């Protein structure tokens, strides 16, 4: 056994041992009884894991794939596991055997080794970068409580002169152990998973940023257990006797189970007491904690993909299958030629000069294999890398994907997956930072039956408080400009119309005692009190807010704008500053109890001691839950049902419109019987123009598109889809009722009766939800001290219960959350990135299914799904919840409905806890995947990074041939980005963690449309044509070699001179196929954006498949036969000619092949014809003739091929040679033209149709309008009339003037000489009249809707 084999054996045994150990260890942890960690600051050695009898693993991490010893064997195995590399390695070994090769000894092994070395060097560079990042993290420093005498814990750059017996000691992260007490400081990352023991300062909670874990930028509040309040100093921690019992390491980021024993009492540990590695301490000066999980046992590491798979494009599998076919063909052809040689051997013996030159079977067989082996050219892979690198250059240089605000272009970190971008069928997207902008905005409020929009200009007031700014400083975008505003407008005049909060505040100042004004003050005060936020005064004196939920910050900012500023929060007392009767007052509100929001309760409540001593319960939550808590709950639910009934009618209409639009894309049939998306009529060269109108029939598709645009509900952030009209117009004015109540109290009363108040408020909430806003309903009630005392006793007993604790707490909370009075509703917008709804609509039209995977709660995820058009108003939302019953029954029921009921549009919603239950049962997991494939979209909330990656993996495995794409911006998205076929990182404002590990990165989600629909499709078409062109040219060229063997006795003699043969791929035919792979654009970018359905070309593998390959190779065989036998018949067998020997015949065949290859790849198969076509053909053909001249001048060995001065002095002067060459090329060109005409006439496809459309001026203008992505609309600027709507108005005006004016109409703008000009006859086509009627009747709607396109 060689040393190499011995090393591989040792490595394999060692690797198996490591894997078995890790599996046993993980299995023990899963089924173990948890960890028992004794807190001991003076402990000298590490704690021992009782399950393994070894110390708990250290805190070091390793994300690299290789070590110094494993890199070379693993890479050699990987490189030669590629079929093509293994094939070339086998051929090169045979080639190096003396006496077998007729094409040289090292012509295959040398380029193969160069190519493999480059690939290995690239992989080595990427792994070294990962090791560098690991080292930077492992060598970070933190402070732990240790005996200062143990110097092995200290980094070399720290001194121990000041160390005491027990003190805070700086150590490297990799030396932190389970059980260590760690000190965390402000803005420091957490080195391991720790249980909080103490929070320094006056803060009750420690605020941490968990963006690396769940992608959320809002801060999370973590608190130490109350019974550990004494752990506030080194002395106290060193004396404490504390034992923690925690669960074994697991993946769940949203649950933590454990307890601790302190002074004889056992208390629970929950997720609120734990800070995980990857978090950063914010707005907290100091905190202490004890380590419970370290290193690879930390939850962030367990959710990470340890050994990310090496990605390979799906097209490579198809190419590998074709390579197998070619190998079998080469072997078959070599065997046939060998058999033919032996059959013809008796005839050869008659020739005296080869009578004794017999060759055995095996050598002649091997020589034929070597002769024909380049039918699979090594240059296929080398040149493909060049093609892909150039594709990356064009993608990165696209200014349409450059973000000017962030100064960030599109970046590519790999070239392997370029063509995959054109085949994506599933997109897995993060929410925060990917679809949304990481910013919440308070948009609307409903109070006293009226709706008010929050002015954007409020944020621009110098003081930040509208009570100090006159109303006239704010522009009123939602009120007609001709309305004159008084100093203090009457709120009752604005009760039905949509007013602005600036007017509301002005009215509060001027008419503070009206019932409407007081109701507004009560709602704003409730917003300022019902939350868990902490105010923070910045250095410039501006008060900011830190909260566990970003929408709470938006609500408090709105309350601040409306005059109620949360100034301070200390020891449960909120200090509110407000303006009352012209003076600034400060009042203290004591928060006695906070009943937290949970997914079951869907609400939160606070019990507040008001400044006047009264107790008030304030609740906010989902309207579906809050209706049951109101005093008149039956009436509220009835009015809610009335509003839902009206909404259902609207949704039914929209569903019908959706079905109609989808039918245009999927179900319309053409008269020829072929299915074509978008109802595009099939075109042919003979019927390109309609006999009735003379116009291209393809323009009818754009008339359908225009009507779809005019009726489309596609939205932007700046437009509302539905009006905000109150459904009861009879309530148009209500008398102001003067009533005196205390400014700080929450009194009763309304200017509307209860029924009208409920109906108006619920209608507003429905409108808010339609826009995708996060809605909250506010209510309140007063309680007396006795009721509170009794309730507090019940709630305390429930919270300390060890069984069914949460259920008992929910029941206790309901005792105080009932018989409440309605205050109003709020709407907060999670601001989407620019152009997200339009991008999702185009991706949907491209037959791409979008999954949104987020760490948010369910309600938030659904709201964002609605705002970004992932969930339509008429969508059937299927919610899977393991707490709602048997998951198996839920899956079976919903799957049956999807298969038999077939809803118009369906969305599946599932949470992380339910996914955990599904993952534990293979049958349930398979059923879930089946259901997920049937629906249009999936929303997964509360998903951990590992669950995100698992979902991607499931689709990759279950949906064969489907290319998956994952896109995100945070470290929590890395796992799914690495798991998907294609990983896209967002280089957003919150870091570059995902972008650094992704395949490609963009600045905003909307750039994904152009990346996929344009560049992805182009790259797919280019790579397919390059690959097919390479196989075609090799088959064409080497098939002539095989045909020639019949005329040389099957001896293996080459038709071509050896030096020319070796340069065939490198010098003479590489540029045509490379240029095709770089510059081809079968359709323009505007066309691909206007008709996203064209993207299905790559999804359905229409560019490269066995069928397509066979069609190309059949062409190659046919053309090879034509080239060889025309050469042989016209010139090779001519009787009277000059020099028709072996070299001249081979040179003619070679020349014909070079011309045919160059012209086919750079003219016949190329749609985007530019100067590069001339360059490619010129260099290829011209280079070949230059090579002939140089070779004829320098050639010395003239024994086999008579090369010397052949072109210039012998057959180059023979007119028959040139005439024969010309006839051969013309014959093949004629064959190509006939095939293309037959294809377009008898079996055209959508690409052929749109290529014809691009040549029509009218169609091209319409394509550009449909493809236009208006930057003003994307950036929420005011929408003006588009050119299409202006044209529709002009056409409508012409029609009203009379039919004569329609005889010739011109829509050219006089101020736009380069604008759109169309002239048609009114009697051209009945379709034209329908088109004009549509433009006329829907012209008004076009102004508001078509700009979205």
């Amino acid at each position: 056994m060689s040393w190499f084999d011995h090393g591989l054996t040792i490595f394999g045994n060692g690797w198996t041992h490591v894997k078995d150990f890790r599996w046993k260890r993980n299995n023990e942890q899963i089924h173990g009884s948890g960890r028992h960690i004794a807190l001991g600051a003076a402990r000298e050695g590490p704690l021992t894991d009782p399950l393994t009898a070894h110390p708990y693993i250290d805190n070091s991490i390793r994300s690299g794939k290789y070590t110094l010893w494993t890199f070379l064997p693993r890479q050699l195995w990987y490189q030669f596991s590629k079929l093509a590399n293994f094939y070339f390695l086998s051929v090169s070994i045979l080639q190096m055997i003396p006496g077998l090769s007729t094409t040289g000894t090292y012509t295959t092994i040398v380029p193969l080794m160069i190519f493999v070395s480059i690939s290995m060097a690239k992989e080595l560079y990427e792994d070294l970068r990962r090791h560098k990042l690991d080292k930077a993290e492992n060598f970070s420093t933190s402070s732990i409580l240790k005996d200062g005498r143990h110097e092995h814990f200290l980094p070399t750059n720290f001194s121990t002169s000041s160390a005491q017996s027990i003190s805070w000691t700086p150590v490297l992260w990799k030396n932190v152990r389970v059980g260590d007490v760690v000190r965390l400081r402000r803005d420091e990352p957490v080195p391991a998973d720790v249980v909080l023991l103490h929070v320094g300062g006056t803060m009750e909670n420690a605020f941490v940023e968990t963006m690396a874990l769940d992608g959320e930028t809002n801060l999370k509040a973590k608190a130490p257990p109350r019974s550990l309040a004494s752990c506030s100093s080194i002395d106290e921690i060193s004396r404490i006797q504390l034992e923690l019992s925690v669960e074994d390491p697991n993946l769940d980021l949203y649950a933590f189970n454990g307890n601790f024993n302190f002074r004889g009492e056992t208390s629970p540990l929950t997720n609120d007491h734990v800070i995980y590695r990857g978090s950063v301490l914010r707005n907290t000066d100091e905190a202490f904690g004890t380590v419970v999980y370290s290193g690879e046992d930390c939850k962030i590491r367990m959710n990470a993909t340890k050994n990310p798979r090496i990605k390979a494009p799906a097209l490579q599998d198809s190419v590998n299958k074709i390579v197998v076919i070619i190998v079998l063909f080469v072997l078959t052809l070599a065997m046939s030629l060998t058999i033919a040689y032996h059959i013809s051997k008796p005839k050869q013996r008659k020739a005296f000069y080869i009578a004794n030159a017999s060759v055995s079977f095996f050598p002649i067989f091997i020589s034929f294999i070597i002769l024909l082996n380049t039918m699979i050219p090594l240059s296929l892979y080398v040149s493909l890398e060049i093609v892909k690198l150039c594709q990356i250059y064009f993608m990165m240089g696209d200014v349409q994907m450059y973000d000017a605000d962030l100064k960030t272009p599109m970046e590519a970190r790999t070239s392997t997956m370029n063509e995959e971008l054109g085949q994506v069928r599933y997109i897995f997207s993060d929410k925060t930072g990917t679809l949304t902008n990481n910013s919440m905005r308070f948009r609307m409020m409903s109070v006293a039956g009226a709706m008010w929009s929050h002015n954007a200009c409020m944020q621009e007031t110098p003081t930040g408080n509208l009570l100090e700014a006159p109303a006239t400083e704010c522009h009123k975008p939602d009120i007609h400009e001709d309305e004159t505003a008084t100093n203090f407008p009457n709120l009752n005049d604005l009760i039905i119309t949509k007013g602005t909060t600036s007017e509301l505040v002005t009215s509060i100042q001027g008419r503070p005692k009206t019932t409407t004004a007081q109701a507004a003050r009560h709602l704003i005060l409730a917003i300022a009190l019902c939350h868990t936020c902490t105010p923070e005064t910045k250095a410039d004196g501006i008060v900011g807010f830190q909260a566990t939920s970003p929408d709470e910050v938006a609500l408090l900012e709105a309350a601040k704008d409306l005059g109620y500023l949360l100034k301070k929060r200390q020891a449960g007392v909120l200090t509110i500053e407000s303006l009352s009767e012209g003076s600034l007052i400060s009042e203290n509100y004591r928060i006695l109890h906070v009943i937290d929001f949970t997914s079951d309760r869907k609400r939160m409540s606070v019990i507040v001691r008001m400044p006047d001593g009264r107790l008030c319960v304030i609740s906010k939550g989902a309207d579906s839950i809050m209706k049951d808590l109101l005093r008149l709950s039956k009436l509220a639910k009835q009015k809610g049902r009335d509003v839902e009934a009206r909404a259902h009618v609207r949704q039914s209409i929209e569903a019908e419109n959706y079905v109609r639009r989808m039918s245009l894309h999927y179900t319309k049939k053409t008269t020829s019987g072929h299915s074509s998306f978008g109802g595009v009529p099939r075109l042919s060269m003979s019927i390109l123009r309609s006999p009735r109108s003379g116009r291209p029939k393809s323009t009818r598709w754009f008339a359908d598109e225009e009507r779809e645009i005019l009726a489309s509900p596609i939205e932007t952030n700046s437009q509302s889809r539905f009006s905000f009209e109150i459904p009861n117009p009879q309530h148009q004015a209500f008398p102001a009722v003067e009533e005196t109540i205390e400014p700080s109290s929450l009194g009763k009363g309304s200017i509307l009766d209860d029924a009208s108040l409920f109906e108006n408020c619920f209608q507003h909430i429905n409108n808010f939800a339609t826009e995708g806003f996060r809605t909250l309903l506010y209510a309140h009630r007063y309680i007396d001290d006795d009721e509170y005392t009794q309730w507090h006793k019940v709630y305390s007993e429930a919270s300390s219960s060890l069984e069914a604790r949460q259920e008992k707490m929910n029941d206790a909370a309901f005792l105080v959350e009932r018989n409440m009075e309605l205050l109003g509703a709020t709407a907060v917008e999670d601001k989407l990135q620019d152009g997200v709804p339009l991008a999702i609509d185009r991706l949907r039209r491209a037959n791409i299914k979008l999954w949104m995977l987020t760490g948010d709660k369910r309600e938030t995820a659904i709201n964002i799904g609605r705002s970004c058009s992932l969930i339509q108003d008429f969508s059937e939302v299927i919610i899977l919840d393991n707490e709602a019953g048997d998951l198996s029954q839920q899956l079976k029921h919903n799957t049956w409905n999807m298969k038999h009921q077939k809803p118009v549009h369906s969305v599946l919603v599932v949470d992380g806890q339910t996914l955990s239950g599904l993952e534990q049962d293979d049958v349930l997991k398979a059923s879930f995947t089946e259901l997920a494939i049937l629906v249009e979209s999936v929303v997964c909330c509360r998903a951990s990074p590992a669950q995100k990656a698992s979902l991607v993996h499931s689709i990759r495995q279950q949906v064969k041939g489907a290319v998956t794409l994952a896109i995100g911006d945070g470290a929590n998205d890395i796992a799914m980005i690495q798991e998907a076929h294609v990983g896209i990182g967002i280089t957003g404002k919150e870091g570059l963690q995902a972008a650094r590990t992704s395949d490609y990165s963009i600045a905003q989600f909307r750039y994904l449309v152009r990346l996929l629909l344009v560049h992805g499709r182009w790259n797919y078409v280019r790579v397919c044509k390059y690959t097919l062109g390479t196989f075609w040219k090799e088959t064409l060229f080497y098939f002539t070699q095989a045909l020639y063997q019949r005329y040389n006795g099957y001896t293996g003699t080459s038709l071509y001179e050896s030096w020319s043969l070796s340069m065939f791929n490198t010098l003479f035919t590489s540029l045509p196929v490379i240029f095709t792979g770089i510059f081809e654009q079968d359709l323009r970018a505007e066309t691909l954006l206007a008709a996203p359905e064209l993207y299905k070309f790559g999804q359905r593998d229409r560019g490269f498949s066995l069928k397509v390959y066979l069609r190309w190779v059949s062409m190659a065989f046919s053309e090879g036969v034509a080239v060889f036998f025309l050469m042989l018949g016209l010139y090779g067998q001519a009787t009277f000619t000059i020099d028709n020997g072996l070299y001249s015949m081979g040179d003619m065949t070679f020349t014909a092949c070079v011309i045919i290859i160059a012209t086919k790849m750079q003219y016949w198969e190329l749609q985007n014809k530019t100067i590069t076509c001339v360059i490619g053909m010129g260099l290829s053909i011209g280079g070949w003739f230059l090579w002939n001249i140089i070779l004829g001048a320098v050639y010395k060995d003239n024994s086999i091929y008579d090369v010397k001065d052949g072109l210039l002095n012998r057959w180059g002067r023979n007119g028959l040679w040139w005439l024969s060459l010309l006839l051969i090329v013309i014959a093949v060109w004629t064959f190509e033209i006939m095939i293309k005409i037959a294809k377009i006439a008898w079996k055209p496809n959508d690409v052929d149709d749109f290529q014809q459309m691009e040549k029509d001026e009218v169609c091209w203008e319409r394509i550009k309008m449909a493809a236009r992505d208006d930057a003003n609309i994307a950036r929420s600027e005011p929408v003006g009339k588009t050119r299409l709507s202006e044209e529709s108005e002009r056409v409508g005006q012409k029609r009203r003037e009379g039919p004569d004016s329609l005889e010739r109409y011109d829509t050219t703008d006089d101020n736009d000489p380069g604008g759109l000009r169309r002239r048609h006859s009114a009697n051209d086509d009945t379709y034209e009249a329908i088109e004009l009627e549509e433009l006329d009747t829907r012209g008004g709607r076009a102004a508001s809707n078509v700009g979205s396109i």
Side-chain angles (χ1 to χ4, degrees), residues 311-372:
K311 296 184 178 182
L315 191 62
Q316 181 173 306
D317 293 336
S318 300
V319 173
N320 287 341
K321 294 176 183 178
I322 300 302
V323 168
V324 171
I325 293 175
I326 297 177
V327 169
L328 295 177
F329 175 75
V330 169
L331 294 176
T332 303
L333 187 59
M335 179 65 68
S336 302
L337 293 175
T338 304
I339 294 173
Y341 168 76
H342 284 279
I343 292 175
S344 63
K345 188 185 299 184
K347 298 179 181 179
Q348 296 175 12
R349 289 175 181 171
K350 296 178 181 178
F352 69 93
Y353 52 88
I354 56 171
N356 298 318
S358 178
V359 182
S360 61
F361 182 89
F362 183 75
I364 194 67
F365 176 68
I366 296 300
S367 67
F368 278 126
I369 291 177
I370 295 174
L371 179 68
L372 302 172

Side-chain angles (χ1 to χ4, degrees), residues 388-582:
K388 291 186 175 183
L389 288 174
C390 293
Q391 291 174 356
I392 286 176
Y393 172 78
F394 288 121
M395 287 192 292
M396 295 176 65
D398 189 346
V399 295
Q400 299 295 328
M401 294 191 293
Y402 176 79
D403 190 282
D405 295 334
L406 299 176
K407 295 182 173 57
T408 304
M410 178 269 171
E411 294 185 12
R413 291 170 177 81
T414 182
S415 61
T416 307
M417 315 304 294
N418 287 0
E419 64 271 27
E420 296 275 84
L421 294 172
Q423 297 179 280
V424 174
R425 286 179 57 188
Y426 286 86
I427 293 179
F428 299 85
S429 175
D430 181 37
K431 179 191 75 70
T432 307
T434 304
L435 297 177
T436 63
N437 229 0
N438 288 345
S439 63
M440 297 287 187
R441 295 192 305 177
F442 183 85
R443 291 292 302 274
M444 310 289 295
M445 63 187 295
S446 174
V447 59
M451 182 167 55
W452 308 87
S453 63
H454 192 51
N455 304 59
C457 61
M458 288 182 179
Q459 310 300 328
E460 300 172 2
T461 58
T463 61
N465 190 335
L466 265 183
L467 293 179
E468 302 174 10
T472 54
E473 292 182 10
C474 289
H475 177 61
K476 303 180 295 181
D478 298 306
I479 302 296
H480 296 295
E481 296 295 337
D482 56 354
E483 294 181 3
T484 58
T486 60
N487 289 333
F488 305 110
N490 189 341
L491 271 75
N492 300 320
D493 296 336
L494 300 173
I495 192 69
I496 299 300
T497 61
K498 184 172 68 170
T500 62
T501 50
S502 61
E503 296 170 331
L504 177 64
V505 171
T506 304
S507 299
I508 292 175
Q509 294 180 29
R511 299 172 180 266
K513 294 185 179 180
T514 61
T515 303
T516 307
Q518 292 178 28
R521 292 170 68 94
H522 299 161
L523 176 60
I524 300 170
L525 181 59
I527 293 173
L529 292 176
C530 189
H531 57 81
T532 57
C533 296
T534 301
E536 183 182 34
T537 304
K538 301 177 183 178
D540 54 4
I542 298 177
V543 178
F545 306 100
Q546 299 294 341
T548 58
S549 177
D551 52 356
E552 287 198 338
V553 175
L555 289 168
L556 277 181
E557 291 287 354
K560 170 184 170 183
D561 293 337
L562 298 175
Y564 284 78
L565 172 62
L566 175 61
K567 191 71 174 179
K568 188 185 303 181
R569 186 185 194 118
Q570 189 171 3
V573 176
L574 301 185
T575 301
I576 305 291
E577 286 186 355
S578 61
L579 193 64
S580 178
E581 297 181 355

Side-chain angles (χ1 to χ4, degrees), residues 53 141 217 326 342 413 466 611 626 727 740 750 899 909 912 928 978 986 1094 1194 1302:
T141 58
T217 56
I326 297 177
H342 284 279
R413 291 170 177 81
L466 265 183
M626 295 296 294
T740 303
S750 173
K899 290 182 177 179
V909 179
F928 168 76
Q978 292 177 333
I986 298 290
L1094 289 165
V1194 301
L1302 278 173

Side-chain angles (χ1 to χ4, degrees), residues 236-341:
E236 292 170 348
I237 294 176
S238 62
R239 292 195 303 266
I240 196 173
Q241 297 297 319
L242 179 67
E243 184 179 32
L244 306 175
S245 297
V246 299
E247 61 185 351
D248 290 317
N250 58 74
L251 303 172
D252 195 349
L253 291 170
Y254 302 101
F256 181 87
N257 294 318
N259 57 61
F260 64 93
N261 188 286
F262 180 59
R263 295 176 181 173
E265 292 187 6
T266 299
S267 301
L269 288 173
T270 66
N271 208 41
D272 294 333
H273 303 137
V274 185
I275 304 179
Y276 298 121
R277 179 174 182 154
S279 304
V280 180
L281 193 67
R282 302 289 191 195
N283 302 331
T284 307
D285 294 332
E286 188 179 59
F288 305 155
T290 182
V291 177
V292 291
Y293 306 130
S294 60
E296 298 295 336
D297 284 340
C298 292
K299 295 207 173 187
I300 188 173
R301 291 300 303 162
M302 296 195 75
N303 277 279
T305 304
K306 299 297 189 302
N307 294 304
R309 65 186 186 89
I310 300 175
K311 296 184 178 182
L315 191 62
Q316 181 173 306
D317 293 336
S318 300
V319 173
N320 287 341
K321 294 176 183 178
I322 300 302
V323 168
V324 171
I325 293 175
I326 297 177
V327 169
L328 295 177
F329 175 75
V330 169
L331 294 176
T332 303
L333 187 59
M335 179 65 68
S336 302
L337 293 175
T338 304
I339 294 173
Y341 168 76

